[in-house]
Each structure stands twice: as structure tokens, then as C-alpha cells.
Amino acid sequence: MRNLCLPQMGVTSPLKAQTHSRSFTAKFFPYVLYALFPIALFRFYFHPFPFPLSTTDQLPHSNRIILTSSSSSPSSLSFSTEEETANEAPCNYTDGRWVHDKMGPLYNGTICGTIKDGQNCISHGRPDLGYLYWRWQPSQCDLPRFDPNTFFHLLSNKHIAFVGDSMARNQLESLLCMLATVSNPNLVYTNGEDNKFRRWHFASHNVTVSVYWSPFLVRGVEKSKTGPDHNELYVDVVDERWGSDLDHLDMVVLSMGHWFLHPAVYYEGGSVLGCHYCPGLNQTEIGFYDVMRKAIKTALRTIIGRKAASGDGIDVFLTSFSPSHFQGEWDKAGACPKTEPYREGEKMVEGMDADMRSIAVEEIEAAKASSKQFGGLRLETLDVTKLSLMRPDGHPGPYMYQFPFANGLQEHVQNDCVHWCLPGPIDTWNQIMLQVIKRWRS
Ligand SMILES: *[C@@H]1O[C@H](CO)[C@@H](O)[C@H](O)[C@H]1NC(C)=O
Ligand SMILES: *[C@@H]1O[C@H](CO)[C@@H](O)[C@H](O)[C@H]1NC(C)=O
Ligand SMILES: *[C@@H]1O[C@H](CO)[C@@H](O)[C@H](O)[C@H]1NC(C)=O
Ligand SMILES: *[C@@H]1O[C@H](CO)[C@@H](O)[C@H](O)[C@H]1NC(C)=O
């Protein structure tokens, strides 16, 4: 398939193609923004493991502290009080505001052994801890605290997979940490460079949780030192690294977005569809929105088709776009310096964030309609864009590295204003996910 990629001929500026019309310009606007962002940083931010690993990252901790014994504590009490009645309209978690919460997080990075180094902000010396004491208050209803026992109760004997990019992994680690407060996860499988594929088993409830690295959801070749200097995507072919396991999966959480911003050549039906940010490749710049939409379509169509064929059900979440918060220069101390959420109304979901979110919402709605005829298929957008946008304070920033200012203020310090500290605002994503699962099961 690689030879479908045309040889490099001439230099075609994708920007030249953008003046056709206003809407065309608007469509490529985010591309222009991101072209300014050094592409070299790409792997740095979006690779699952851009840094050397300590062995504690790779191995399950045998000394994880178990706060509650799950087998001896019945979960029915907290469970029944929170249940929505069938008559109530389902809660809409999309809109709301962050309010102070003195309870704080369910876990800390010290007791949870699975947190990726770059997101373990407290152990890296982040001095302010105020960002841990906020909870999301939806406009029309309440969002209960995450109850790990309820999760285990509802998903016992099930296999849950997080599929996607490093945000999928970030969300998975949040879930693992919260579940680990009541039951010990055993790492039962790990494969691939940088542990891109991992699986844990909670023996107490026979719950399996996996993570599959698949930043495009469809088949892709990631740019690399030895391979192409751009990504290659096959938008109509699902990535079988997770697709071939669908038979064994009861729930899938899909997550993608940021990888689509970067240089790529797209293929469909065996021929070149176009490219994005690809000067020198003599391909037509087509942006990334339509391509991302096609990738989501392919992923959802494959899940629905295979599950319908086998007669099995599945629950599918698609996590909507999680905005980044670079304010200043990425290599200066103040790239995402805020220590509090934005105030209500201070920030709107707009521009690329809004467009990326809409694609997820629209494609899930379309898939719901097309899967109605089959029983047991449930799909929902995990609409985290607004609540995430409001949390510029939740990123590691310079604390992606341990004690970045140990030797005084440096002139250059790398910042991660994309991923989320653990614990942190991303825990809310799983809180909402659990509420939707509860609604589905009641
Ligand atoms: C670019 O591709 C087109 C069609 O694929 C071809 O006609 C043209 O000659 C190519 N341009 C260059 C500079 O190679
Ligand atoms: C939830 O609220 C958002 C924002 O107000 C809205 O766009 C969306 O349609 C709502 N969802 C449902 C299912 O009503
Ligand atoms: C993390 O939580 C454990 C158990 O609750 C506690 O013993 C420990 O002191 C906490 N560590 C930090 C750094 O707060
Ligand atoms: C444990 O869960 C898996 C699905 O993840 C299921 O296939 C298996 O039968 C379950 N084992 C028991 C003992 O129930």
C-alpha cells in the first residue's frame, strides 16, 4: 500500500488553496494555527510514552493500598439512592459550571501505581493543589461522585476497552486509579513499543480493562524516523489492532482528535483522497475535519456491523474533543499557568474545539439511528469539551517533568497543556460515563 504514496514532486503550498471562499478559509483556519505550532513537538505531546519510563510505570504495583474491601462492602446502598427513575429525562452533563468542592479527589498519585509519569503532577512537585477541589455541576441536575463499587457492580464479568490516542490512555488511567481504591488491578497483558497495548483484570469482580493504541481509529502508519515524515491514514479500513478483538469487548470508549491536526496523506478505496499540511507531496490539501468524520464513521460502522452479525450487544462511548490550553509559548514557564478554572461565561466552546466536538456528536447520533434495528447496541457521546475547556488549571504544564524548577527558573521549560494531571479534571469524564452506564442498566 505504501507505494500508493506518490513520489515527492514540486512544492504545493496547501495555504494557497485556502482562498477560494470564506467557508473554505474557515475550514482550514485551525490548520493555519497548528502550522505555527512546531511540528517537532508532535510526538512529544501525543506519543503515548515520549519519555523514558521508570519501571514503576510498566509494572503493576503489588503494594497498592486497598482502601475498602470490595467483596465485603455491599454497593447497593449508594447505588440505589443515586438511581434515576425511568420517567425522568436523562441528565444532560454537557453544560454546567465548576464549583468548589472540599471533598477533593478519590485517590492520589502515591497510591495509584498506573499513572504515567508526565501526568503525575503532585509527585513532580506541582505546588498548588487548589485545582483538585472542584466538581462539575451540570446545569439541570447533579453529578454524583464516582462510586467504584457501582462501576464494578454494573460491569462485573465485562471487558471494557479504551481505544484511541493518549487522551484515551489518560482517561483509562483515571478510571484505573479510581477503581484501584476498592480492588486491586492485575496487569495481565502488555504488548507493543511503549506499552501501547495493556490489559488489567480485577479479579474481585471479573472486570477486564484494556487500552488499545489507535490514534486514528482507522488503519494508519504513524510518522517516524525510519518511515514516512507524515502520517498515512486509510480512512475506510478499521485498525484491526482493536477491531479484531471486538468479539471479546462489551464496552468501548473511543477517543481521538489531536493526531488529526498533523501532516498526513489520506487513502480511501485504495487511492489517495488528499492530504493535510503536506507541502512537497503534490497532493490536494483537504484539511482534516472530513477525514476525521470518515474515520469515526468507519470505526462506528465496523463496531455496529460486527456486533450485529454476531448478535452480541456492546456499549460505545465516543469522548468528544478535549481542548488544549497553551496561552503563551510552549517552552516558557507560563504556557498554562492558571491555577483556577475559568469563570462561567469567561470562555465559550468555539472554533476548532466546537467543530471537533460537533463531528463526534453528529456521528454518534447518526450511528444511533443506523443501529436502532439491532438490539443491545448503545452509543453515546461523552461530551467533555465544555467542561474540559473550562479547566486550564488541570494540565501538567511544566510538571510533566519532575521538579522542573529545582535548579531555579530555566529559560526554556517544556509544558504539557494538553493532557491532564491525575488526579484532576479528567476524573469527571469517568464520573459522567458511569452515570450514563447506570441509566442504560436501569
Ligand atoms: C502533480 O500531480 C498531478 C496529477 O496527479 C500531475 O498531473 C502533475 O504533473 C503533478 N505535478 C508535479 C509537479 O509533479
Ligand atoms: C445537551 O446540552 C447541549 C448544550 O446545551 C445541547 O447541545 C445538546 O443537544 C443537549 N443534549 C440533549 C440530548 O438534549
Ligand atoms: C495518598 O493516600 C494514602 C491513602 O489514603 C495516604 O496514606 C497518603 O498519605 C496519601 N499521599 C499523599 C501524598 O497525600
Ligand atoms: C469473566 O468475564 C469474561 C468477560 O470479560 C467472561 O468471558 C468470563 O466468562 C467471565 N468469567 C466468569 C468466571 O464468569
Side-chain angles (χ1 to χ4, degrees):
M1 291 296 259
R2 183 71 61 81
N3 58 9
L4 285 171
C5 185
L6 299 180
Q8 303 199 4
M9 288 179 287
V11 176
T12 313
S13 165
L15 286 167
K16 279 191 190 140
Q18 287 176 33
T19 45
H20 294 337
S21 70
R22 275 249 308 276
S23 68
F24 203 69
T25 310
K27 186 169 161 180
F28 286 111
F29 179 65
Y31 152 69
V32 179
L33 276 185
Y34 274 83
L36 301 173
F37 190 75
I39 295 300
L41 281 176
F42 169 61
R43 278 183 72 78
F44 184 75
Y45 286 115
F46 299 112
H47 197 272
F49 267 114
F51 318 107
L53 282 172
S54 67
T55 49
T56 51
D57 269 325
Q58 299 172 11
L59 299 167
H61 277 204
S62 52
N63 61 345
R64 188 172 286 112
I65 294 171
I66 299 174
L67 299 175
T68 326
S69 162
S70 52
S71 47
S72 60
S73 65
S75 57
S76 51
L77 270 178
S78 57
F79 180 58
S80 54
T81 54
E82 288 165 8
E83 226 162 331
E84 288 165 5
T85 70
N87 298 336
E88 268 175 66
C91 180
N92 188 336
Y93 303 100
T94 300
D95 265 327
R97 62 201 169 92
W98 286 97
V99 297
H100 274 290
D101 169 36
K102 53 179 188 303
M103 295 266 277
L106 220 55
Y107 64 96
N108 68 37
T110 318
I111 61 163
C112 178
T114 44
I115 298 177
K116 182 181 186 299
D117 227 20
Q119 284 133 32
N120 207 342
C121 302
I122 299 173
S123 76
H124 280 184
R126 178 170 173 167
D128 64 303
L129 297 180
Y131 71 99
L132 298 171
Y133 296 89
W134 297 91
R135 65 177 174 82
W136 181 243
Q137 174 65 58
S139 307
Q140 309 291 337
C141 48
D142 288 325
L143 175 60
R145 247 170 111 73
F146 186 90
D147 179 5
N149 286 313
T150 302
F151 186 94
F152 281 128
H153 173 85
L154 294 174
L155 291 158
S156 59
N157 300 315
K158 300 270 194 264
H159 186 171
I160 301 110
F162 287 78
V163 175
D165 58 16
S166 52
M167 301 309 293
R169 177 199 162 121
N170 206 174
Q171 186 182 351
L172 156 100
E173 293 191 342
S174 155
L175 180 67
L176 281 176
C177 289
M178 295 198 286
L179 295 179
T181 60
V182 302
S183 182
N184 204 17
N186 301 307
L187 183 65
V188 292
Y189 174 80
T190 168
N191 186 25
E193 175 206 353
D194 303 328
N195 286 339
K196 282 174 175 162
F197 303 86
R198 284 183 294 169
R199 180 166 300 153
W200 292 262
H201 186 242
F202 291 88
S204 60
H205 299 80
N206 188 28
V207 168
T208 305
V209 182
S210 295
V211 62
Y212 292 85
W213 175 251
S214 182
F216 311 112
L217 304 183
V218 292
R219 188 145 75 82
V221 179
E222 291 156 33
K223 89 186 198 85
S224 66
K225 281 203 185 77
T226 50
D229 64 353
H230 53 268
N231 299 316
E232 295 175 354
L233 274 70
Y234 300 82
V235 297
D236 53 348
V237 184
V238 82
D239 183 354
E240 291 295 351
R241 291 181 300 179
W242 63 272
S244 62
D245 278 1
L246 268 170
D247 272 0
H248 310 293
L249 304 180
D250 302 293
M251 187 172 123
V252 178
V253 185
L254 305 169
S255 192
M256 42 84 241
H258 292 275
W259 275 72
F260 284 84
L261 305 176
H262 292 278
V265 174
Y266 307 121
Y267 301 87
E268 186 177 38
S271 53
V272 177
L273 189 65
C275 74
H276 169 58
Y277 191 37
C278 50
L281 291 182
N282 192 22
Q283 299 293 351
T284 312
E285 167 70 42
I286 58 169
F288 55 83
Y289 287 137
D290 291 345
V291 170
M292 195 178 92
R293 188 186 290 281
K294 279 176 192 281
I296 296 173
K297 269 190 202 299
T298 298
L300 295 178
R301 194 182 53 228
T302 304
I303 294 170
I304 293 168
R306 291 186 188 176
K307 286 297 186 180
S310 68
D312 296 335
I314 192 166
D315 297 340
V316 180
F317 286 98
L318 175 57
T319 306
S320 69
F321 191 67
S322 170
S324 60
H325 290 95
F326 289 98
Q327 266 183 11
E329 290 170 66
W330 63 272
D331 63 345
K332 294 280 151 53
C336 42
K338 283 183 71 78
T339 53
E340 286 195 354
Y342 286 123
R343 289 183 303 277
E344 222 182 335
E346 194 176 345
K347 204 84 179 170
M348 297 296 159
V349 176
E350 56 193 6
M352 184 187 71
D353 297 337
D355 292 339
M356 298 289 259
R357 171 188 170 270
S358 295
I359 291 169
V361 172
E362 287 161 17
E363 289 310 315
I364 281 289
E365 292 310 311
K368 275 183 191 169
S370 72
S371 66
K372 255 196 195 122
Q373 48 183 310
F374 310 113
L377 292 169
R378 285 176 294 213
L379 303 106
E380 200 59 82
T381 315
L382 200 55
D383 191 355
V384 302
T385 304
K386 167 89 184 276
L387 67 90
S388 304
L389 176 73
M390 300 307 278
R391 294 305 305 271
D393 56 329
H395 301 291
Y399 298 98
M400 62 188 297
Y401 290 124
Q402 209 162 17
F403 303 109
F405 305 115
N407 301 315
L409 203 60
Q410 309 292 308
E411 197 189 336
H412 296 287
V413 46
Q414 275 163 336
N415 286 275
D416 182 354
C417 305
V418 178
H419 300 104
W420 302 97
C421 292
L422 293 177
I426 197 168
D427 297 329
T428 303
W429 303 10
N430 290 316
Q431 234 177 319
I432 294 171
M433 190 171 81
L434 177 55
Q435 293 311 305
V436 177
I437 297 168
K438 275 164 66 176
R439 190 178 82 220
W440 281 343
R441 296 284 193 278
S442 65

